[in-house]
């Protein structure tokens, strides 16, 4: 830690104040807020004391926390747990080191699913653990809990006669436990015999119950749940506690990554790791994040793509390499973009863009079938229109369209030849086309940006089922090899699904002379004000001079692919910790 960081941390600690009620150290504003809340509550108590007496409540002592507000609950529970924690003679250790779990909840339910109604196995002793989501009782001698673990629920049934300990111990141990607590349970296995029929509930009949970790906050109710999107993204831990859907999204995301990894491993690719920071932001057309290395006293860039490093490995003789990892782009945030995101990129020597088209169809279509059980999936693209649905069909073969030819048909114009697409005359032509179509392109009005605007408007927005768009001009693809058939174009494709790009691939440019010219053109575009254009990477050009074999390169956005396969219409749903504004974060955490 630097001297400046140590000083800052010291200042932060110095600015914290002791809350004498809970024993916590909090900010001055938070302490004021708590004191104000306590003053209001004290005034309420005085009014209540002065009011005529109400009929005696029928609620039991175990419901002492039931009518508290969230802030009152947090304060009361914190005080209770601190008493246990600070009392050496307490019967309760609220934070024990260890609890032996003999079987997980999913394994338990699978193993004992055969039990019939009313059947018990008193010799079958188990110990399970989970978080309390529901707590109820039937009289003073029978307690019920529903606990969750590994995404599944299990009923815990605690009759007083089965409990290890006297009646006082039984009552005390159960009174301490609140909804949200993580508990350990020891007991035997059985299925209940309900009075109203039915097959009964698979349960653990308790002989001992232990508080493993208390929850100091009041959980949202099961009935209303946690639905506020802002809160769900900012407190993902609470989202995962309350919403199985969120958990299932990230399980699916894990399956997607595992499938891609297995697919490539089975084809003898080697998984590698490349630097997250570099002195040049290369490998893609995007605006980078800048950071500073103190020891070297130099600015560095967070990587926007691992492409150049991976191709250097192919130069070195690693013919098939891939990397699954984070990229960082200092650009806008919307439904499909986040400043940091995950991609998979692979490079295969002696393959070209046409090989990769076939490989992409097989990989993605079979991935969809593996995860979803079908090549067809239902997708709701609009968060505000739940009845708007797309049926996406990933079965092969996929549609393939030539970029320039398709635009000529749609716009009823004739584009300049491919080898003239970078000229001033083409710039004027593209501006006239945009004007005629009433389309606005953000400056600078380079040929590549204007053509990309037309493609987005007329080709990408029409691509619902998986569609290959190919035949890109060289000016839009500074790292792709030129077309062997059409001058000025390159061998590249993009895959679009539901109007969004998920894959990008090309026959790699391995001519160092051509590569240098492309980099220099990118540098000129940067001089014109295009922050996304690349700089000349001398290290990479030098690597090409040693010889890069004919190679096909491929990249896929894991986040967007996960969006489609989990029917999520915003990228924030598929990122555990999406990027959010800090001012709202501070407000949210203090509530």
């Amino acid at each position: 830690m630097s001297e400046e960081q140590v000083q800052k941390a010291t200042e932060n600690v110095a600015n914290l104040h002791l809350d004498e009620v809970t024993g916590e150290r909090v900010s001055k504003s938070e302490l004021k807020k708590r004191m104000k809340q306590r003053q209001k509550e004290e005034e309420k108590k005085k009014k209540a004391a002065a009011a005529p007496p109400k009929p005696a409540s029928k609620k039991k002592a175990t419901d002492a926390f039931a009518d508290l507000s969230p802030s009152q609950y947090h304060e009361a529970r914190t005080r209770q747990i601190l008493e246990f924690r600070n009392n050496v003679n307490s019967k309760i250790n609220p934070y024990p080191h260890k609890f032996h779990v003999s079987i997980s909840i999913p394994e338990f339910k699978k193993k004992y699913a055969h039990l019939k109604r009313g059947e018990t196995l008193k010799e079958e002793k188990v110990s399970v653990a989970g978080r309390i989501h529901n707590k109820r009782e039937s009289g003073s001698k029978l307690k019920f809990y529903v606990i969750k673990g590994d995404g599944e629920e299990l009923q815990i049934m605690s009759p007083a006669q089965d409990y290890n300990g006297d009646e006082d111990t039984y009552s005390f141990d159960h009174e301490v436990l609140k909804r949200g607590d993580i508990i350990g349970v020891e007991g035997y296995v059985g299925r209940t015999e309900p009075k109203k029929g039915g097959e009964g509930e698979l349960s653990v009949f308790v002989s001992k119950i232990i508080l493993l970790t208390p929850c100091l906050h009041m959980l949202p109710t099961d009935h209303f749940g946690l639905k506020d999107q802002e809160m769900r993204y900012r407190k993902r831990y609470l989202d995962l506690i309350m919403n199985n859907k969120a958990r299932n999204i990230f399980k699916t995301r894990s399956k997607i990554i595992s499938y891609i990894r297995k697919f490539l491993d089975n084809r003898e690719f080697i998984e590698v790791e490349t630097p997250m920071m570099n002195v040049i932001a290369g490998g893609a057309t995007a605006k980078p994040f800048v950071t500073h290395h103190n020891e070297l006293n130099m600015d560095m860039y967070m990587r926007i793509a691992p492409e150049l490093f991976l191709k250097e490995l192919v130069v070195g003789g690693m013919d098939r390499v891939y990397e699954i990892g984070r990229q960082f782009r200092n650009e806008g945030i919307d439904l499909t973009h986040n400043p940091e995101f995950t991609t998979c990129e692979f490079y295969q020597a002696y393959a070209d863009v046409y090989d990769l088209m076939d490989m992409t169809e097989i990989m993605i279509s079979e991935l969809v079938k593996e995860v979803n059980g079908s090549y067809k999936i239902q997708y709701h693209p609009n968060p505000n229109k739940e009845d708007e649905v797309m049926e996406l069909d990933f079965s092969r073969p996929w549609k393939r369209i030539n970029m320039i030819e398709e635009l000529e048909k749609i716009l009823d114009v004739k584009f300049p030849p491919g080898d003239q697409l970078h000229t001033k005359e083409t710039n004027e032509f593209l501006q006239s086309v945009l004007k005629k179509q009433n389309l606005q392109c953000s400056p600078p009005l380079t040929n590549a940006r204007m053509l990309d605007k037309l493609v987005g408007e007329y080709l990408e927005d029409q691509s619902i089922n998986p569609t290959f768009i190919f035949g890109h001009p060289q000016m839009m693809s500074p790292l792709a090899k030129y077309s062997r058939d059409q001058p000025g174009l390159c061998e590249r494709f993009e895959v679009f699904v539901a109007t969004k790009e998920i894959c990008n691939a090309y026959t790699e440019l391995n001519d160092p002379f051509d590569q240098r010219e492309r980099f220099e053109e990118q540098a000129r575009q940067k001089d014109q004000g295009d922050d996304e254009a690349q700089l000349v990477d001398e290290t990479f050009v030098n690597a090409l001079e040693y010889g890069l074999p004919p190679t096909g390169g491929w990249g896929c956005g894991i986040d967007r692919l996960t969006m489609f396969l989990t029917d999520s219409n915003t990228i924030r749903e598929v990122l555990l910790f999406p990027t959010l504004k800090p001012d709202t974060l501070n407000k949210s955490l203090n509530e």
Side-chain angles (χ1 to χ4, degrees), residues 187-398:
Y188 64 87
V189 180
R191 190 180 288 276
T192 59
E193 186 169 4
K195 295 177 182 178
K196 295 181 181 180
E199 65 175 9
E201 191 73 27
L202 194 60
S203 306
V204 175
F205 291 78
V206 177
S207 60
K208 186 177 181 181
I209 194 162
I210 305 168
L211 175 63
L212 300 179
T213 310
C215 179
L216 302 182
H217 292 270
M218 182 184 291
L219 291 185
T221 64
D222 278 333
H223 177 72
F224 293 104
L226 178 65
K227 296 176 182 176
D228 182 86
Q229 281 193 330
E230 188 80 0
M231 183 66 74
R232 288 180 50 239
Y233 301 150
R234 295 190 182 283
K235 296 189 175 184
R236 184 64 86 183
Y237 48 88
L238 186 56
D239 184 29
L240 293 169
I241 289 171
M242 297 303 302
N243 297 320
N244 267 347
K245 182 181 177 182
R247 178 186 178 84
N248 291 335
I249 285 173
F250 294 104
K251 283 180 68 176
T252 299
R253 181 188 176 99
S254 178
K255 288 178 184 177
I256 289 168
I257 294 172
S258 294
Y259 182 93
I260 293 173
R261 182 173 277 119
K262 179 174 68 175
F263 182 92
L264 295 173
D265 288 345
N266 288 342
R267 285 159 179 77
E268 298 182 351
F269 281 79
I270 298 172
E271 184 173 10
V272 298
E273 294 176 318
T274 60
M276 288 285 183
M277 297 184 296
N278 194 16
V279 292
I280 289 179
T285 302
K287 187 175 180 179
F289 283 98
V290 183
T291 186
H292 186 79
H293 194 293
N294 291 334
E295 183 67 24
L296 298 177
N297 192 25
M298 60 186 289
D299 284 344
M300 299 187 78
Y301 298 96
M302 300 297 290
R303 75 175 183 192
I304 54 178
E307 177 168 340
L308 302 185
F309 290 111
L310 292 174
K311 286 194 282 193
E312 287 179 26
L313 298 180
V314 180
V315 169
M318 299 178 72
D319 286 350
R320 298 186 181 200
V321 293
Y322 75 95
E323 181 171 12
I324 299 173
R326 288 286 204 187
Q327 319 308 330
F328 307 86
R329 299 187 182 181
N330 197 357
E331 299 170 347
I333 299 175
D334 59 30
L335 292 178
T336 59
H337 292 86
N338 192 70
E340 54 176 312
F341 57 99
T342 302
T343 65
C344 172
E345 289 199 18
F346 74 73
Y347 293 83
Q348 180 176 344
Y350 313 111
D352 65 11
V353 73
Y354 303 106
D355 297 317
L356 300 190
M357 274 192 181
D358 296 336
M359 192 169 170
T360 301
E361 277 189 340
I362 294 170
M363 178 199 288
I364 303 298
S365 64
E366 294 306 315
L367 165 60
V368 172
K369 179 73 179 298
E370 173 89 5
V371 171
N372 258 31
S374 170
Y375 293 114
K376 296 181 180 180
I377 61 175
Q378 300 287 314
Y379 181 66
H380 297 79
N382 193 330
N384 301 316
K385 295 181 181 178
E386 285 301 317
D387 56 342
E388 184 180 327
V389 62
M390 294 177 175
E391 183 174 83
L392 309 180
D393 186 355
F394 285 83
S395 58
R396 304 188 296 275
W398 295 354

Side-chain angles (χ1 to χ4, degrees), residues 307-308 311 315 474 477-483 490 506-520 536-552:
E307 177 168 340
L308 302 185
K311 286 194 282 193
V315 169
Q474 289 184 28
S477 312
L479 298 168
K481 196 173 180 72
Y482 60 84
S483 169
C490 60
Y506 31 84
T507 305
E508 297 296 334
L509 180 60
N510 61 346
D511 179 341
F513 306 103
D514 191 357
Q515 182 65 82
R516 181 177 292 281
E517 290 176 6
R518 305 268 194 99
F519 276 152
E520 289 170 352
V536 179
D537 190 327
E538 293 291 352
T539 301
F540 178 66
V541 173
N542 182 257
L544 290 186
E545 291 174 348
Y546 281 87
L548 173 68
T551 298

Side-chain angles (χ1 to χ4, degrees), residues 455-473:
V455 172
E457 187 73 23
Y458 295 107
L459 301 186
E460 295 173 10
D461 281 357
Q462 309 308 314
S463 301
I464 305 303
N465 289 330
T467 303
F468 289 104
I469 297 177
F470 66 95
H472 296 62

Side-chain angles (χ1 to χ4, degrees), residues 156-176:
I156 305 300
M157 186 172 175
S158 182
Q161 68 268 21
D162 289 337
Y163 203 72
N164 289 344
D166 57 26
E167 187 174 331
D168 288 342
T169 303
Y170 176 80
S171 298
F172 180 77
D173 287 352
H174 285 289
E175 283 173 15
V176 166

Side-chain angles (χ1 to χ4, degrees), residues 48-165:
K54 293 181 181 179
S57 173
K58 293 182 180 179
K59 289 189 175 179
K60 299 178 183 174
T62 52
D63 293 329
F65 286 66
D67 294 327
L68 300 181
S69 69
S71 61
Q72 289 172 329
Y73 183 97
H74 176 244
E75 187 170 311
R77 194 80 209 281
T78 300
R79 190 162 48 239
Q80 179 191 50
I81 296 303
L82 283 174
E83 286 174 6
F84 292 142
R85 183 173 173 268
N86 298 331
N87 183 356
V88 292
N89 298 317
S90 172
K91 296 178 182 179
I92 299 290
N93 173 9
Y95 298 100
H97 287 72
K98 168 74 177 175
F99 177 79
H100 173 68
V101 175
S102 66
I103 189 169
S104 70
I105 293 176
E107 289 171 336
F108 179 95
K109 296 181 77 170
K110 184 177 179 181
K111 183 175 180 180
Y112 300 111
H114 65 278
L115 293 183
K116 297 181 175 59
R117 173 183 173 180
E119 184 179 357
T120 58
L121 303 174
K122 292 198 174 184
E123 300 306 316
E124 195 84 8
K125 305 296 185 182
V126 296
S127 55
V128 297
R131 187 184 294 273
I132 300 172
H133 275 254
N134 200 336
K135 178 183 179 182
R136 59 191 176 87
E137 60 184 43
S138 178
S140 62
K141 307 246 184 223
L142 182 58
K143 317 289 184 184
F144 293 91
Y145 299 88
V146 173
I147 65 171
K148 285 187 180 179
D150 293 318
E152 296 204 27
E153 294 183 352
L154 178 64
Q155 177 171 279
I156 305 300
M157 186 172 175
S158 182
Q161 68 268 21
D162 289 337
Y163 203 72
N164 289 344

